[in-house]
Amino acid sequence: ARAGGVARIAERLGKVLDHAAKTGVRLAIENGGSFRSAAQVREIVDAVRSPLLTVSYNIAAACSAGERPAEGVAQLGTQLGLL
């Protein structure tokens, strides 16, 4: 079920990012909901595989998932767009 959800999200983001590539826009997704931790939101980023997709890391959402912010930031690495 989760893999299917990630695939659907990645497919839809791919369409948005195709348009973004034509307009010079970058897109940031924020961790939260079913994707609160860096590892969870990274599943989406890895599935999309676009340099135009970054992550806006919500520290409160990450902490509510039991994640230490420094670990989440390190895990997102170059995909981190906003903190």
Side-chain angles (χ1 to χ4, degrees), residues 4-15 17 43-44 46-48:
V6 169
R8 282 190 302 279
I9 293 167
E11 179 185 352
R12 292 171 183 158
L13 283 172
K15 292 177 183 179
L17 289 163
E43 289 178 67
I44 297 169
D46 290 346
V48 173

Side-chain angles (χ1 to χ4, degrees), residues 1 3 5 28 31 44 54-56 61 66 72 79 82-83:
N31 58 310
I44 297 169
T54 63
V55 175
S56 173
Q79 296 298 324
L82 301 167
L83 183 60

Side-chain angles (χ1 to χ4, degrees), residues 30-71:
E30 184 173 350
N31 58 310
S34 297
F35 299 91
R36 294 182 298 162
S37 73
Q40 292 167 335
V41 79
R42 186 73 196 228
E43 289 178 67
I44 297 169
V45 171
D46 290 346
V48 173
R49 297 187 343 197
S50 171
L52 298 177
L53 182 62
T54 63
V55 175
S56 173
Y57 188 61
N58 181 326
I59 292 174
C63 288
S64 74
E67 181 168 78
R68 293 181 180 192
E71 293 171 4

